[in-house]
Amino acid sequence: MVGIVFVSADGGEREVEAPVGATVMLAAIRNDIRGIDAECGGSLNCATCHVYLDPACLPLVPGPSHDEAALLAHVSAERRPTSRLSCQIAIAPGLPRLRVALPEHQTCPF
Amino acid sequence: MPVLAGAVAPRGASHHLVVVGGSYAGLQAVASARESGFGGRVTLITAEDHPPYQRPPLSKAYLLGKVAEDALPLRAESFYRDAAIDLVTGCRVSHLDPVRRTITCGQDRPMPFDALVIACGARARRLAVPGAELDGVVVLRDLADARALRERLTAATSVLIVGGGYIGLEVAASAASLGKPVVVLEAGPRLLARAVPPQISDHLVRLHRRRGVTIRLGTGLDRLDGEGGRVVRAMGSDGARYPCDLVVVGVGAVPNVDFAQACGLATPAGIAIDAFCRTGMEGVYAAGDCTVQPNAFADSPLRLECVQNAMDQGRSAGAAVAGRPEPCPGIPRFWSDQFDAKLQSVGLSAGSDLSVSRGSSEEGRFSLFHFRQGHLRAVDSVNRPGDQIIGRRFLAAGLSPTPDQARDPAFDLRTLLPVS
């Protein structure tokens, strides 16, 4: 299990445990973390599970694929260098605790 | 925000919202009703024995054993508790009384409602050929079907798929990935004919054949033969015999409208709703696969079977119940995963007069941009999700690239979109 700290847009924090093989998005849904919509269930269709990965965690996980980067160009909230789609951040064995911040909104106005 | 005269919906604490159907549309309706401020009692009724769960993985990752059942629920259990939603499982609604405004499950007492959302979905169409009732002939629609299919797939030695639509092709890809010999019979001249243009159909034929799937186009099923009650072979309309011990039928779905039809709310084609998901009955809404709704992308009202439509309509119905009606965006969106191909569509390509491609079929990454009179109508993609989200934004904004801009991979289409 890997701990994931979700920091909400208003600064509140909650830590949950996620099993190896899951994703940050799945951990959020299973634990009813608000602020991640994940409309498509993690199939790279919707860009509604956007998070900001803590800069200290960036080197811990592989960077975004070409397709993820293409979708990140259309997220609803501000896009930052630390922006990721949480469905693409896999919980790998040996991963230390992750920290992600939630954007102010997900659902694109289209 | 548009507000309809005379459409003041019940939203006081004493009001009871009942939502019938526990999949994407029903769940989204209760979630959106709460998010839009509905303060009354909320009951979500599902005929299945489980809380709402994800369906797209059932024909793909779940069949392959890559996704476990505990990863399927759409919401955590705490969601229902925290949002004060009474979740009633294993309850199939049999009757709607429009005068007393009650719904009834089997022998249960009638349940009164102030607002009702019907989101009963659709069921798999069955085969009407001799042998269709044999053991080993299955459909895939819900989790119970998927459990059974997964078990049978493990033991199967040769798999026959009837129907080259989304379900048939996804199951074919999953079964072939598990090393099973697979034959797909498609009665029409090409795969996914109702959903995608010929270029995508052709790409899929090549993809499946390359992975060892036998695809027979223009070939119907005449009959299934059994031994000891179990299916052993199929007779195709091409006169060929296809040995098989598992037959997966993917020949479309029919809307679940029995009780809605009995009280005059629906026809066999579905429950007619307007842009706000209202039926012809005051305070009664409908959403998802069971509905027929006017759509800007089609000349006549459409019944769409896809997750996105279910969520869009559920959101619209829930907001309307809470007294904050918003029209459904109505942009059709579909997706499918087969082997390593991610197939996505936005808009409807039927009726277009020009299609240009971006990327190439040979590289396995391409999109088709469809135009009518120079205006973008739809985008179909294989492994180019970025084009999909761009297409969605164009369609939502009523904007269009020119065909030349769309076919030039060096042209950044985003520059034509308003800054979000």
Side-chain angles (χ1 to χ4, degrees):
Chain A
M1 298 294 262
V2 172
I4 304 173
V5 180
F6 288 95
V7 184
S8 66
D10 63 12
E13 292 189 11
R14 212 177 119 206
E15 180 164 357
V16 306
E17 295 272 300
V20 168
T23 62
V24 171
M25 179 278 282
L26 204 52
I29 299 300
R30 278 180 184 165
N31 292 283
D32 207 17
I33 298 284
R34 302 294 166 90
I36 288 185
D37 287 358
E39 283 192 2
C40 77
S43 60
L44 265 186
N45 271 286
C46 73
T48 64
C49 66
H50 177 206
V51 295
Y52 302 116
L53 192 57
D54 189 282
C57 300
L58 274 179
L60 303 176
V61 299
S65 67
H66 177 273
D67 288 342
E68 182 187 344
L71 262 62
L72 281 168
H74 299 274
V75 289
S76 162
E78 179 198 357
R79 186 189 177 180
R80 301 176 193 160
T82 56
S83 285
R84 292 297 307 268
L85 295 182
S86 55
C87 68
Q88 301 300 305
I89 307 176
I91 308 299
L95 193 66
R97 179 209 241 186
L98 292 178
R99 190 178 168 85
V100 298
L102 301 165
E104 282 191 18
H105 38 87
Q106 290 289 356
T107 307
C108 296
F110 50 82
Chain B
M1 179 181 302
V3 176
L4 297 172
V8 180
R11 53 185 179 277
S14 63
H15 283 90
H16 187 197
L17 164 64
V18 174
V19 177
V20 183
S23 193
Y24 289 88
L27 176 63
Q28 192 59 51
V30 297
S32 293
R34 282 292 188 236
E35 281 160 21
S36 302
F38 182 79
R41 193 177 149 209
V42 175
T43 305
L44 176 61
I45 299 174
T46 169
E48 293 181 74
D49 294 325
H50 336 271
Y53 54 87
Q54 297 184 60
R55 292 191 188 241
L58 296 182
S59 53
K60 307 178 267 271
Y62 176 82
L63 277 192
L64 294 172
K66 288 182 182 169
V67 163
E69 276 192 27
D70 65 359
L72 292 178
L74 280 167
R75 299 276 185 157
E77 279 176 25
S78 57
F79 162 79
Y80 302 96
R81 196 172 57 238
D82 295 348
I85 290 157
D86 293 329
L87 177 64
V88 181
T89 57
C91 170
R92 188 174 297 278
V93 169
S94 52
H95 186 65
L96 164 61
D97 185 331
V99 177
R100 293 195 177 85
R101 297 178 75 78
T102 59
I103 57 111
T104 309
C105 295
Q107 301 301 312
D108 295 352
R109 275 194 321 183
M111 179 187 286
F113 63 81
D114 297 293
L116 177 71
V117 178
I118 304 172
C120 294
R123 61 180 177 273
R125 182 177 284 128
R126 304 281 164 161
L127 280 179
V129 299
E133 72 298 336
L134 286 165
D135 186 34
V137 182
V138 302
V139 296
L140 175 55
R141 188 78 201 169
D142 60 21
L143 180 55
D145 295 335
R147 277 179 183 157
L149 176 56
R150 189 153 99 162
E151 212 175 291
R152 287 176 183 273
L153 203 47
T154 310
T157 58
S158 60
V159 182
L160 181 81
I161 310 281
V162 185
Y166 283 116
I167 285 287
L169 294 175
E170 288 170 5
V171 174
S174 299
S177 298
L178 291 169
K180 306 292 176 179
V182 182
V183 175
V184 177
L185 300 187
E186 166 54 50
R190 61 185 179 90
L191 298 178
L192 269 172
R194 282 192 313 144
V196 301
Q199 297 96 319
I200 302 271
S201 301
D202 295 346
H203 183 82
L204 290 174
V205 168
R206 289 193 296 272
L207 172 74
H208 278 263
R209 286 184 176 157
R210 211 162 51 232
R211 301 297 189 102
V213 176
T214 301
I215 305 256
R216 293 271 186 264
L217 299 173
T219 307
L221 177 70
D222 281 353
R223 161 182 111 229
L224 294 167
D225 296 334
E227 281 171 15
R230 282 197 55 89
V231 69
V232 293
R233 105 179 56 78
M235 295 297 293
S237 62
D238 54 354
R241 297 164 163 229
Y242 297 94
C244 51
D245 52 2
L246 176 60
V247 176
V248 183
V249 179
V251 293
V254 286
N256 287 323
V257 290
D258 301 359
F259 73 83
Q261 216 182 320
C263 68
L265 258 186
T267 70
I271 303 173
I273 55 171
D274 67 8
F276 297 88
C277 296
R278 297 178 299 190
T279 68
M281 206 174 281
E282 178 76 28
V284 178
Y285 306 80
D289 288 12
C290 63
T291 68
V292 180
Q293 189 180 42
N295 191 294
F297 289 84
D299 299 327
S300 52
L302 282 183
R303 190 173 73 79
L304 290 170
E305 290 171 20
C306 62
V307 168
Q308 215 57 53
N309 181 62
M311 292 185 70
D312 287 348
Q313 290 186 345
R315 194 175 287 125
S316 182
V321 165
R324 307 169 77 92
E326 282 200 60
C328 231
I331 302 177
R333 289 146 70 185
F334 307 89
W335 81 83
S336 174
D337 292 309
Q338 294 163 35
F339 301 110
D340 54 2
K342 171 182 285 300
L343 175 64
Q344 295 166 291
S345 300
V346 60
L348 295 176
S349 59
S352 55
D353 54 30
L354 174 68
S355 300
V356 303
S357 60
R358 200 173 168 89
S360 77
S361 170
E362 292 73 32
E363 290 161 19
R365 295 173 68 89
F366 69 107
S367 293
L368 295 164
F369 284 66
H370 306 279
F371 296 85
R372 180 150 80 185
Q373 295 177 335
H375 207 81
L376 186 68
R377 298 261 306 160
V379 182
D380 294 298
S381 304
V382 175
N383 290 335
R384 282 182 70 107
D387 287 351
Q388 282 295 303
I389 211 154
I390 286 174
R392 210 181 298 164
R393 291 187 61 187
F394 273 111
L395 295 176
L399 297 171
S400 177
T402 66
D404 281 340
Q405 288 166 339
R407 68 157 69 89
D408 177 4
F411 183 81
D412 186 351
L413 294 170
R414 285 179 297 166
T415 59
L416 301 174
L417 289 163
V419 178
S420 56

